[in-house]
Amino acid sequence: MDFSSHHTRLLQQLDEQRKRDLFCDCHITVEGQTFKAHRNVLFASSGYFKMLLSQNCKDVSKPATATFDVFSADTFTAILDFVYSGKLPLSGQNVIEVMSAASYLQMTDVISVCKMFIKSSLDINEKDRDGFFSLSDKDNGSNGTGLYAAGWRTEYSPSHIHEAAEHSGFIAGYNYPPPITSRLQRPFTKHTRKPEHVRKHRKRLMPDPITPACITSVPLGDLVGGTAECIVHEDDSTLQEEDSQPPEDMVCPKVEEDEEGDTAQSWPESPQHAESGEQDSIPRVSKADELYKAMPTILGVMSGWTEDDLSPVRFKCPFCTHTVKRKADLKRHLRCHTGERPYPCEACGKRFTRLEHLRNHFQTIHEAGKLICRRCKLPVTELTGRVIQDGTRRYRLCHQCLSEAGLDSVNFDFGDDQPLVLPPENEREQAWHFKDDVKDENSKERQESDLPIQGVEDSEEEDVKSQIT
DNA sequence: CTGGGGAAGGGGCCC
DNA sequence: AGGGCCCCTTCCCCA
């Protein structure tokens, strides 16, 4: 018989005991303020306390004590409330510090909730729109924990979250995500690359198991107001994995790789997507700045991070273990976490994190920038070949390949300096053609315009266009 | 199933 | 600080 509310009542009882100072055997001092709690509860909730209490587990006759100066009493109050209630009172003002403190205390649950709060506040989590990992402030019933729930629903409502975050703060209740197998159903299409940070950072940014001993910790006072290290798991699934880990893994918490990456972002790669989400075509520079402004409170500044790098100061990413020498590089790096892609390709709708990437893409894909024949791969010049306009895509073919493909008789209305425009695929001879990942986009765009490169109305994107051309 | 090539993403660093 | 270049890695597609 499963009595589902048992654990809730048990937690309520423990919270009552804490508030009445019953059986509290752990005293935590933060900014001179003493908090009392149960070591069993702290042990089960925090990797930091697990490590701390493991070392002192023999002597249980005296209360365990701990003192923190790296976060505020208010922050610890919020965290302790979460430990005993499952509800995390987050607001735009405290989320960064709470996350930093949770990082310090190795409380992945809290970190995950904070990450979700930040992501939803930034309105950058495209996947949330698909209801894959949705946030809803409407839910207050299923888990009984409050106004904010990280669940698996479809009623994503970023506006609500914004309001809650900005105006009133809100209570975050954490629902554990479904098994990883559910994540494998994420809607990456055949031609949709997984978010890069999911792929690359699985190896690069989560390099080694992080042991407490290897963490370079700098007291708050030495910084600009935040903790030095921020250990963040790339994916919430790590929570589950960690939950099943034996205690020794908690002592030396291991950052697990994720099967499919976290919930960070997906983005439109086709004009259809770009059209369906008009706001996507607006560069979100302000959001990067928004997050960037928050950086000082969560940045870590480290020295001597590696033996190879003895530079005195490094900037620590709050979302992963990556450090950089320059703040500007950190700002650039943050885009791989925020999902921000301020540079849209106006030809195909694909978005990029950097202007140079957009430029490379545009030159390669839409301007036939490579002076090689796409068919025979041999070098081709203006004299020995032509530019083919295939939908939004341009490439070069040498005269021989043009002849062999039967394309030398197609549409010579333009001058030699103009691209040879291929007819739509359904009208094209089936001799051969080049398949590529923009074929579908092309067919749609052809219906809308004969122009290979569509202009965009957005003025900011016009600026981008002017930079490209 | 595998290897090669193209495209994209990210880091380091110079200007 | 931002732009840009170079290099490397990763992923995907295709033969």
Side-chain angles (χ1 to χ4, degrees):
Chain A
M1 180 177 178
D2 181 18
F3 195 48
S4 59
S5 64
H6 170 70
H7 61 281
T8 305
R9 293 190 179 182
L10 185 62
L11 202 58
Q12 287 173 347
Q13 281 297 314
L14 288 169
D15 198 24
E16 281 292 315
Q17 291 177 18
R18 173 177 71 107
K19 291 173 178 173
R20 296 181 182 182
D21 193 11
L22 290 174
F23 312 118
C24 291
D25 49 5
C26 193
H27 297 174
I28 306 104
T29 303
V30 182
E31 288 186 329
Q33 184 175 342
T34 299
F35 297 85
K36 295 181 179 179
H38 304 97
R39 70 174 73 199
N40 287 339
V41 176
L42 296 176
F43 188 99
S45 305
S46 159
Y48 182 94
F49 280 110
K50 179 163 288 189
M51 179 182 64
L52 185 73
L53 296 171
S54 296
Q55 294 171 347
N56 302 316
C57 58
K58 292 180 180 177
D59 186 8
V60 295
S61 59
K62 291 182 289 187
T65 59
T67 301
F68 297 103
D69 294 323
V70 293
F71 41 76
S72 68
D74 288 342
T75 297
F76 190 70
T77 299
I79 289 179
L80 205 54
D81 285 346
F82 175 79
V83 167
Y84 276 90
S85 69
K87 300 174 184 177
L88 186 60
L90 285 179
S91 69
Q93 284 70 41
N94 75 348
V95 61
I96 298 299
E97 188 173 356
V98 169
M99 190 168 80
S100 293
S103 168
Y104 189 93
L105 297 172
Q106 300 169 37
M107 301 176 72
T108 52
D109 295 13
V110 178
I111 292 171
S112 297
V113 174
C114 291
K115 284 177 69 178
M116 287 185 288
F117 179 91
I118 293 172
K119 285 177 180 175
S120 57
S121 295
L122 290 175
D123 190 18
I124 56 176
N125 193 335
E126 298 286 344
K127 194 194 303 179
D128 286 349
R129 294 183 192 176
D130 299 332
F132 187 79
F133 193 82
S134 61
L135 303 170
S136 173
D137 59 350
K138 295 176 182 176
D139 179 80
N140 58 4
S142 60
N143 59 356
T145 51
L147 302 174
Y148 176 94
W152 296 79
R153 303 169 185 81
T154 56
E155 66 267 28
Y156 174 57
S157 177
S159 61
H160 292 135
I161 292 171
H162 274 291
E163 290 173 11
E166 292 171 5
H167 301 304
S168 61
F170 61 67
I171 306 297
Y174 184 66
N175 277 346
Y176 285 91
I180 295 174
T181 49
S182 299
R183 293 160 187 262
L184 299 180
Q185 299 167 3
R186 62 182 301 176
F188 282 125
T189 63
K190 190 178 181 181
H191 294 290
T192 303
R193 293 169 65 88
K194 285 186 284 185
E196 182 66 16
H197 78 275
V198 171
R199 294 180 281 114
K200 196 167 186 177
H201 289 244
R202 283 163 53 180
K203 184 169 290 185
R204 278 197 174 182
L205 302 179
M206 299 293 162
D208 302 306
I210 300 172
T211 65
C214 71
I215 296 170
T216 304
S217 179
V218 180
L220 241 191
D222 297 339
L223 303 175
V224 279
T227 55
E229 73 279 1
C230 187
I231 309 161
V232 177
H233 295 266
E234 273 296 284
D235 190 280
D236 299 314
S237 64
T238 58
L239 297 174
Q240 286 198 322
E241 293 169 9
E242 284 198 347
D243 284 344
S244 60
Q245 294 292 323
E248 52 267 27
D249 280 348
M250 295 300 292
V251 174
C252 298
K254 181 177 181 180
V255 179
E256 300 283 351
E257 289 188 2
D258 176 49
E259 286 292 326
E260 275 293 326
D262 75 359
T263 62
Q265 77 267 34
S266 62
W267 35 81
E269 291 202 70
S270 66
Q272 295 95 311
H273 282 137
E275 288 160 9
S276 61
E278 289 184 6
Q279 56 186 357
D280 285 346
S281 63
I282 301 173
R284 297 185 203 136
V285 176
S286 61
K287 292 186 178 155
D289 293 339
E290 184 180 341
L291 183 58
Y292 193 49
K293 285 174 184 174
M295 285 300 103
T297 60
I298 51 178
L299 275 180
V301 182
M302 299 179 173
S303 61
W305 177 245
T306 66
E307 290 183 1
D308 297 333
D309 183 6
L310 299 178
S311 58
V313 174
R314 292 186 71 88
F315 295 91
K316 170 81 178 65
C317 173
F319 296 105
C320 68
T321 61
H322 184 63
T323 63
V324 294
K325 287 181 179 179
R326 301 193 321 150
K327 202 175 177 183
D329 284 339
L330 177 62
K331 184 176 184 178
R332 188 178 68 176
H333 165 80
L334 283 172
R335 285 199 185 126
C336 77
H337 293 298
T338 64
E340 214 185 343
R341 288 169 177 267
Y343 305 107
C345 174
E346 60 206 33
C348 66
K350 189 169 174 59
R351 309 183 67 95
F352 298 87
T353 57
R354 299 190 211 169
L355 182 61
E356 62 188 285
H357 288 164
L358 169 62
R359 185 178 294 121
N360 289 338
H361 161 84
F362 196 87
Q363 289 176 348
T364 302
I365 303 300
H366 304 303
E367 285 193 329
K370 290 189 175 180
L371 298 177
I372 58 172
C373 173
R374 184 170 170 82
R375 193 188 185 203
C376 66
K377 311 298 181 187
L378 295 174
V380 60
T381 67
E382 300 292 340
L383 297 176
T384 61
R386 293 199 59 159
V387 174
I388 303 298
Q389 180 76 54
D390 187 3
T392 64
R393 188 164 187 141
R394 290 185 181 186
Y395 46 81
R396 294 175 187 271
L397 290 178
C398 64
H399 287 315
Q400 183 175 348
C401 289
L402 275 170
S403 176
E404 292 177 3
L407 295 175
D408 50 355
S409 61
V410 179
N411 191 356
F412 287 103
D413 294 339
F414 300 105
D416 286 343
D417 57 338
Q418 294 296 316
L420 192 159
V421 180
L422 289 186
E425 201 164 303
N426 54 3
E427 299 175 14
R428 201 182 304 172
E429 285 188 25
Q430 297 299 316
W432 60 273
H433 60 268
F434 302 110
K435 293 181 179 180
D436 58 56
D437 55 358
V438 295
K439 191 188 298 178
D440 292 339
E441 311 164 7
N442 296 345
S443 60
K444 180 174 179 65
E445 286 212 357
R446 278 190 216 103
Q447 296 172 4
E448 296 169 349
S449 170
D450 291 336
L451 293 176
I453 308 299
Q454 290 203 346
V456 289
E457 294 180 359
D458 187 280
S459 59
E460 291 179 270
E461 296 192 5
E462 285 290 340
D463 293 338
V464 175
K465 180 183 179 182
S466 64
Q467 292 181 61
I468 297 170
T469 57

